[in-house]
Amino acid sequence: MECLNRPCYSSAMGSPQTVVVHPTTHVRGPVRPPGDKSISHRYALFAALADGISTIEGYSTGGDCASTLSCLRALGIQVTLTGQDEAGLRLRIQGRGPRGFLAPADTLDAGNSGTTMRLLSGVLSAQPFVSTISGDDSLSRRPMRRVIIPLERMGARIASNDGRPPLIIQGTDRLTAIDFHTEVPSAQVKSAVLLAGLHADGETRVTEAVQTRDHTECGLKAFGVDVARSGLTVSIRGGQRAQPAALKVPGDLSSAAFWMVAAAALPGSEVTVNDVGLNRTRTAIIDVLRRMGADIGVDQGPATEAEPIGRVIVRHGRQQAIDIAPSEVPGLIDELPVLAALATHGGDLRVSGAKELRVKESDRISALATGFRNMGAEIEEFEDGFHVRGGRRLRGGEVDALNDHRLAMAFAIAALGAGGPTTIHDAGAAAVSYPEFFSVLESLRA
């Protein structure tokens, strides 16, 4: 297969789970990333809790967000697909109110989605029935004690496999409000406690060591729920009822980061990302790319009642060596693999304070280091991070994404600057968040 001076991929060994990514000289063109995954999950859950019919445009096409819809249907929520375009799915959701969910007939399957499991646990803790929520092999290894502890303090009873899924949740209609301080910065844990707090007696407060993404706070407000913030503390008053809403999900900045990095990495490149979310708790990736040398312009779109949306234009710039400190990690946790990929194109990146990467869909520190070494990179692995030295060009090679969507896509972006092709096994994992990833990669050929 000839792939000269352009990004190119092909299936290998007869399996759609394996792709071969060929190098290119540059990438150019416009992209509209898929609907934001974090926001899609939340809008669907909030719509299910509302009293009436909500409509959502641009809902993510990824597998994780499909898991949330599947679980909601199993809990008696009517979810209707009314259309689809490049922005994502158009949905009509008939809410059942705060305690109108039905006891599921079978185990709820969260698939690969930790967001589905953790956020839904907060809602199920307030439902007066027993429910079991499980997931795939990867999700079944992920830590859930961090969400179990506060929900049990509020009155739910949750059985687990030594703090890991499956979770058996005995909900109650008598949850008690708590003041909770998160030990690990986690928007998912914060959101689970706030969702339980919406059903609790009194005011629930969550205090974070570092502010995490605030899509739950923004989304609840869009559904008519009063959420207050004072410094690092977020509070919610129990007994409020969500109102139906008509909302659009912005494009996912974490997905767009792969194209932003590709443009930053390759001389002569320019990529325009349209209709992308620019929530201030998510835009650290833009600041870091600028520090690494990228030429980036941001056009803020008109203000919306829920989430800011705009356009980002990224051009190649001379790469700079940078360190990412522990205080920065919570705002970059999803983008660290692709930032590592950027460093393989000739930069230098040291990351510390990112031990959380070891309990994602895979041990992302170890898997990233193994994969990049197989491609010819110089990378040092630490317990809580890594150091990529991009002083030599990758040669290409054979890597395994270990069923981790962000690794599959990060390896593909690194492969664009290699001296030869790179075979990526388990590349189909990209569909968890970005089913169109490899076709968009092809569309950006020069």
Side-chain angles (χ1 to χ4, degrees), residues 121 125 147-149 151-152 156-160 166-170:
S121 294
S125 292
V147 75
I148 292 171
I149 290 171
L151 295 177
E152 289 197 324
R157 288 185 293 164
I158 304 176
S160 67
L167 304 183
I168 303 172
I169 302 171
Q170 171 63 69

Side-chain angles (χ1 to χ4, degrees), residues 291-314:
R291 282 162 53 194
M292 294 181 78
D295 177 5
I296 301 181
V298 178
D299 295 330
Q300 187 84 39
T304 67
E305 62 179 1
E307 295 280 351
I309 299 175
R311 180 177 66 169
V312 179
I313 303 170
V314 185

Side-chain angles (χ1 to χ4, degrees), residues 118-353:
R118 292 189 177 114
L119 269 63
L120 195 56
S121 294
V123 175
L124 292 174
S125 292
Q127 307 301 316
F129 52 71
V130 177
S131 53
T132 301
I133 183 166
S134 189
D136 65 12
D137 289 344
S138 172
L139 183 57
S140 296
R141 295 190 296 270
R142 296 180 67 180
M144 294 294 154
R145 200 180 304 280
R146 59 188 60 172
V147 75
I148 292 171
I149 290 171
L151 295 177
E152 289 197 324
R153 279 183 56 193
M154 298 178 80
R157 288 185 293 164
I158 304 176
S160 67
N161 179 18
D162 193 26
R164 288 174 168 76
L167 304 183
I168 303 172
I169 302 171
Q170 171 63 69
T172 176
D173 56 6
R174 294 184 176 275
L175 290 180
T176 302
I178 61 170
D179 287 339
F180 183 68
H181 292 250
T182 59
E183 293 183 2
V184 177
S186 170
Q188 294 176 10
V189 173
K190 173 182 66 176
S191 300
V193 176
L194 291 175
L195 286 171
L198 183 61
H199 300 79
D201 293 329
E203 184 176 77
T204 293
R205 289 179 287 272
V206 180
T207 301
E208 303 181 282
V210 177
Q211 185 179 354
T212 60
R213 57 185 62 176
D214 65 357
H215 298 308
T216 292
E217 297 95 304
C218 293
L220 284 171
K221 289 177 181 178
F223 280 86
V225 175
D226 183 32
V227 183
R229 172 175 286 279
S230 177
L232 293 172
T233 299
V234 182
S235 58
I236 190 168
R237 187 180 69 258
Q240 299 182 72
R241 300 187 75 94
Q243 302 303 309
L247 295 170
K248 295 182 179 180
V249 179
D252 187 9
L253 187 58
S254 293
S255 295
F258 294 96
W259 313 129
M260 294 160 64
V261 165
L266 299 169
S269 295
E270 179 177 311
V271 170
T272 299
V273 183
N274 294 310
D275 299 325
V276 68
L278 294 174
N279 183 299
R280 62 182 178 82
T281 63
R282 295 284 295 280
T283 54
I285 178 66
I286 295 174
D287 298 331
V288 169
L289 286 176
R290 284 175 171 152
R291 282 162 53 194
M292 294 181 78
D295 177 5
I296 301 181
V298 178
D299 295 330
Q300 187 84 39
T304 67
E305 62 179 1
E307 295 280 351
I309 299 175
R311 180 177 66 169
V312 179
I313 303 170
V314 185
R315 302 177 185 89
H316 171 73
R318 183 178 180 84
Q319 287 208 45
Q320 305 294 321
I322 74 162
D323 291 354
I324 293 178
S327 62
E328 299 178 85
V329 166
L332 292 163
I333 194 69
D334 288 337
E335 291 81 33
L336 290 176
V338 74
L339 288 173
L342 175 57
T344 68
H345 287 262
D348 189 288
L349 175 66
R350 180 187 290 268
V351 175
S352 58

Side-chain angles (χ1 to χ4, degrees), residues 7-63:
C8 182
Y9 74 95
S10 59
S11 60
M13 296 189 293
S15 170
Q17 290 294 317
T18 298
V19 300
V20 179
V21 178
H22 297 255
T24 188
T25 57
H26 55 282
V27 292
R28 301 183 69 85
V31 294
R32 201 291 182 185
D36 188 285
K37 191 160 73 86
S38 295
I39 297 172
S40 293
H41 286 295
R42 287 160 171 81
Y43 282 3
L45 281 168
F46 303 162
L49 291 168
D51 293 301
I53 297 172
S54 297
T55 58
I56 302 172
E57 296 183 30
Y59 189 88
S60 171
T61 56

Side-chain angles (χ1 to χ4, degrees), residues 61-92:
T61 56
D64 274 5
C65 292
S67 292
T68 290
L69 296 183
S70 175
C71 288
L72 289 176
R73 289 187 174 106
L75 291 162
I77 304 300
Q78 184 179 343
V79 181
T80 304
L81 174 65
T82 60
Q84 181 174 354
D85 57 24
E86 67 169 359
L89 308 178
R90 292 192 294 274
L91 302 176
R92 179 181 182 274

